[in-house]
Amino acid sequence: QITFGSIFLGKIPVHEEVHQCAGQIYGYKGCIRDFQVNYKELFIIDEALEGRNIENCNVPICDYHPCHNGGTCMSDEENWYCECPKLYTGKLCQFATCDENPCGNGATCFPKSRRDAVCLCPYGRSGILCSDAINITQPSFSGTDVFGYTSFLAYSTIPNIIFYYEFRLKVQLANHHSALQDNLIFFTGQKGQGLNGDDFLELGLRNGRVVYSYNLGSGTATIISKPLDLTLNVHVIYLGRNLQKGWLKVDDQKNKTVTSPGRLVGLNVFSEFYLGGYREYTPELLPKGPRFKNGFQGCIFDVQVRTSLNQEFKSPGNPEGHPNSGRSVGQCKDSPCSLIKCRNGGKCIETGSTVYCDCLTGWKGAFCTETVTVCEPEHDPPHLCQQGSTCVPLPSGYTCHCPLGTTGTYCEQG
């Protein structure tokens, strides 16, 4: 039996007097969360009077085996990353390497082929090589591109969101069919990782309805709106929460409410506030609940939040309205393809601020101005030289130079 005047978690400080019946007192090693006394939730960090050697407890994300293409997941108490084999890159080792990165201003280089790269532009940049500066007042998002990335903006963590918050924002859909299917509007949570029970807050679109969900640590609460009126050009969304009770109002629809399950009343989130998508959008790494498969397609603007009834609404970010980072985000109603002319039948493709030429068979290069030789991997049909041999183009056709120990027209014989 131990007697004391205060409640201690983990280990009793050495300067405190304690009475013990026998043996030594050892400190607890592990994680403590959702702490309640007589059904009252105590917030371990916020209500503590003092403490020492306390760190944030993260889910062992490597247990999910997130790395692709033979990558090895490495983690410590704070971070995790994939150690990628040669020829692969990306946080999950899901992409082939850009051998010579032509992209500027911190853009993400993606290999469109073994010879051509696409530059996925960071926030505030546009163009083939992301060299053009753009002013963004109404962000435009392009969903999930053909390379598996989502466009997004990331703002600093919204403070004081534990007990109360209100959000209001406007959205404009780029494409009614695809934008209504399964798309994330915004998200914040436990670093974007976790098992069922992790705190999170998210908003998205599914089957033509707005879906608002939050989890305070004891179960997910969800509100689903009526189908959107697609005759409206801009949709206005208003949502909030006070302790366990949440509400959602969309356009002229009636206000809908919900109460979260369990006894917990506080939302504890530590991640950045993601708008439109996610830095490395992998739904399996988000907290369980109504995960959204894609990023948003269209414009999201006039996003404002307050965490008290006595506050004025403010834009997220520090300084206000400024994101920490972003990718493939354009200015609403502007088309970067208006400045690009693809040659030889190539088609200009735009995803937010990212733009590139999709070339017809036989052409390559940033503007589809270079021909593909018969020996290149992109040639259709491909050459028939066997692996290990060398394809050499000729004025008409090609020949195969065979390695030692093989012969034949295509080095196919031993």
Side-chain angles (χ1 to χ4, degrees), residues 130-398:
C130 304
S131 55
D132 303 327
I134 57 172
N135 182 34
I136 298 175
T137 57
Q138 293 187 345
S140 172
F141 303 86
S142 54
T144 306
D145 61 27
V146 296
F147 311 116
Y149 285 100
T150 59
S151 56
F152 75 92
L153 290 177
Y155 296 86
S156 53
T157 304
I158 299 175
N160 306 319
I161 203 173
I162 296 177
F163 300 111
Y164 184 93
Y165 58 75
E166 290 179 84
F167 286 88
R168 60 188 186 191
L169 63 151
K170 298 176 182 177
V171 300
Q172 186 175 17
L173 305 179
N175 179 305
H176 283 164
H177 175 70
S178 59
L180 289 173
Q181 296 306 306
D182 202 356
N183 305 73
L184 180 71
I185 297 177
F186 71 61
F187 170 85
T188 184
Q190 302 277 32
K191 285 193 172 181
Q193 307 164 11
L195 301 169
N196 193 22
D198 277 357
D199 294 18
F200 67 86
L201 162 64
E202 65 180 353
L203 181 72
L205 292 171
R206 179 172 287 126
N207 299 323
R209 302 168 185 261
V210 176
V211 180
Y212 161 43
S213 295
Y214 58 91
N215 191 330
L216 308 181
S218 54
T220 300
T222 299
I223 305 177
I224 302 176
S225 76
K226 292 181 178 180
L228 291 175
D229 179 359
L230 300 183
T231 63
L232 297 175
N233 185 42
V234 175
H235 301 279
V236 180
I237 302 174
Y238 169 62
L239 60 96
R241 181 188 64 86
N242 182 20
L243 302 178
Q244 291 179 295
K245 184 178 180 180
W247 59 89
L248 170 70
K249 181 173 174 52
V250 178
D251 297 329
D252 293 329
Q253 299 180 17
K254 290 185 178 180
N255 190 57
K256 301 184 74 172
T257 61
V258 72
T259 301
S260 62
R263 298 180 179 274
L264 301 182
V265 297
L267 178 70
N268 296 286
V269 295
F270 309 110
S271 80
E272 294 178 300
F273 179 74
Y274 290 96
L275 190 67
Y278 203 68
R279 192 182 307 279
E280 289 283 352
Y281 189 71
T282 307
E284 290 74 17
L285 300 185
L286 300 181
K288 289 186 177 178
R291 297 168 175 156
F292 296 95
K293 296 179 182 177
N294 302 298
F296 185 77
Q297 299 176 55
C299 303
I300 305 175
F301 50 96
D302 293 348
V303 180
Q304 295 188 311
V305 60
R306 67 178 180 181
T307 55
S308 168
L309 276 172
N310 300 323
Q311 282 184 345
E312 292 185 357
F313 279 92
K314 298 194 304 182
S315 299
N318 186 18
E320 183 182 350
H322 290 264
N324 293 341
S325 60
R327 178 179 59 223
S328 298
V329 175
Q331 170 68 2
C332 194
K333 299 180 181 179
D334 283 358
S335 171
C337 276
S338 63
L339 305 175
I340 301 297
K341 186 172 180 60
C342 304
R343 308 289 181 175
N344 300 303
K347 182 181 179 183
C348 183
I349 305 295
E350 59 181 68
T351 56
S353 62
T354 293
V355 60
Y356 64 94
C357 291
D358 189 19
C359 304
L360 292 179
T361 301
W363 296 95
K364 65 177 182 176
F367 299 97
C368 306
T369 55
E370 305 170 42
T371 58
V372 177
T373 69
V374 68
C375 285
E376 292 185 77
E378 297 85 1
H379 190 271
D380 188 17
H383 66 79
L384 300 177
C385 298
Q386 298 297 298
Q387 188 172 4
S389 62
T390 303
C391 177
V392 180
L394 300 174
S396 58
Y398 63 95

